Amino acid sequence: MNQYAVWGNPIAQSKSPRIHQLFAEQTGRNLQYIAKLGDETNFEAELAAFFTQAKGANITAPFKNRAFAIATQYSERCLLAEACNTLKKLADGQLYADNTDGVGLCADLARLGWLKPNQKMLILGAGGATQGVLFPLLQAKQQITLYNRTPEKAVILAEKFANYGQIQTACWEELVNQSFDVIINATSLGLQGKYVPVPASLLASSVVYDMQYAPHQDTPFLRYAKSQGAKHCSDGLGMLVNQAAFAFELWEGVLPDVAPVLAQLQTEMEAGS
């Protein structure tokens, strides 16, 4: 039986074990997938011990950068993200690192009908979540503008990805006079009950996506967006399921059908399970 786990701290809230259980049932795979609470001091040693038996792992906060450093082989998108959310043990025992967050986001935007070439896309935030998704979005020919409260971070990120597509930064004053097809919140402010107060003129004419999700309710950013006239909004639950599907494909060689798993997850969350 192939063994997998998602590593994070905290981790009890993770939906990944349930998602991969549903993938395994759908594809007829016999596997074990559990949640592991990583120790912030001994994470590397714990992970090494795990991989003496296991075939793969998902990595979430706060270990994505440390998992990236452990690996010896990388996908291109993982190298550009400089962070890893998926590890696979190769036949020779080396660890291969991937980052499926960006392709997961693109797949979910496509599911919603929100991914078309040459769209103008505003991404809020210039941290690790943004860096993790930029390469696949640029490959999908999105014209990206980054906004960050610390402009210097956005400039550094835009310069890093300038060779891969159209990407620029904007300050607050410049946003007011622009329009976007898609607005994506990639900040973690929602964890503190906060949000980026985007000008209402932008929200009313854009589709709005939050990479985070909150069980039983809208995220703070989506509540704000709807209050400012946003008509088409989505949280990041679909991104979570899609990124998991690409990790499953890397390990097991088959890409699960996301739609029934996402529907099942939404039903269970609404029921409070």
Side-chain angles (χ1 to χ4, degrees), residues 80-143:
L80 288 166
E82 297 181 21
C84 159
N85 80 334
T86 305
L87 289 169
K88 177 182 179 179
K89 186 167 72 171
L90 302 176
D92 62 2
Q94 293 188 73
L95 291 183
Y96 175 82
D98 197 3
N99 191 312
T100 63
D101 286 333
V103 287
L105 172 59
C106 286
D108 200 43
L109 292 173
R111 175 186 69 86
L112 294 163
W114 296 356
L115 191 71
K116 299 163 188 171
N118 305 311
Q119 290 182 136
K120 293 181 66 179
M121 178 177 287
L122 174 64
I123 301 181
L124 308 174
T130 298
Q131 185 165 340
V133 302
L134 280 179
F135 182 55
L137 288 172
L138 290 169
Q139 285 187 308
K141 295 184 167 49
Q142 303 304 290
Q143 300 175 14

Side-chain angles (χ1 to χ4, degrees), residues 6-17 34-38 58 60-61:
V6 58
W7 290 77
N9 190 336
I11 200 61
Q13 80 290 351
S14 177
K15 299 293 182 186
S16 293
I34 60 174
K36 298 280 283 185
L37 179 67
N58 285 132
T60 189

Side-chain angles (χ1 to χ4, degrees), residues 90-221:
L90 302 176
D92 62 2
Q94 293 188 73
L95 291 183
Y96 175 82
D98 197 3
N99 191 312
T100 63
D101 286 333
V103 287
L105 172 59
C106 286
D108 200 43
L109 292 173
R111 175 186 69 86
L112 294 163
W114 296 356
L115 191 71
K116 299 163 188 171
N118 305 311
Q119 290 182 136
K120 293 181 66 179
M121 178 177 287
L122 174 64
I123 301 181
L124 308 174
T130 298
Q131 185 165 340
V133 302
L134 280 179
F135 182 55
L137 288 172
L138 290 169
Q139 285 187 308
K141 295 184 167 49
Q142 303 304 290
Q143 300 175 14
I144 295 173
T145 298
L146 300 179
Y147 169 75
N148 194 62
R149 289 173 298 175
T150 309
E152 294 79 11
K153 287 188 68 176
V155 169
I156 291 169
L157 210 50
E159 289 175 348
K160 176 181 174 67
F161 285 87
N163 292 334
Y164 299 97
Q166 296 188 48
I167 184 167
Q168 62 181 2
T169 65
C171 64
W172 179 259
E173 293 75 15
E174 293 168 330
L175 286 181
V176 179
N177 299 316
Q178 297 191 50
S179 63
F180 297 93
D181 300 298
V182 183
I183 297 175
I184 296 177
N185 175 42
T187 74
S188 58
L189 289 173
L191 298 174
Q192 307 159 40
K194 301 177 182 177
Y195 55 84
V196 179
V198 176
S201 59
L202 299 184
L203 293 165
S205 59
S206 304
V207 299
V208 178
Y209 192 97
D210 194 335
M211 286 169 57
Q212 296 188 330
Y213 71 93
H216 316 302
Q217 60 184 344
D218 285 330
T219 65
F221 179 69

Side-chain angles (χ1 to χ4, degrees), residues 15-85:
K15 299 293 182 186
S16 293
R18 179 59 175 150
I19 292 169
H20 284 275
Q21 178 189 5
L22 292 169
F23 287 163
E25 292 171 0
Q26 181 192 114
T27 59
R29 294 302 201 271
N30 183 26
L31 57 85
Q32 181 186 58
Y33 186 111
I34 60 174
K36 298 280 283 185
L37 179 67
D39 182 88
E40 295 208 30
T41 303
N42 299 311
F43 170 68
E44 287 80 5
E46 290 179 341
L47 195 66
F50 174 74
F51 268 109
T52 61
Q53 302 292 329
K55 184 177 178 181
N58 285 132
I59 310 294
T60 189
F63 299 122
K64 288 185 177 184
N65 299 100
R66 291 168 68 173
F68 178 84
I70 292 169
T72 54
Q73 296 191 38
Y74 304 87
S75 67
E76 183 179 17
R77 61 196 182 203
C78 187
L79 284 172
L80 288 166
E82 297 181 21
C84 159
N85 80 334

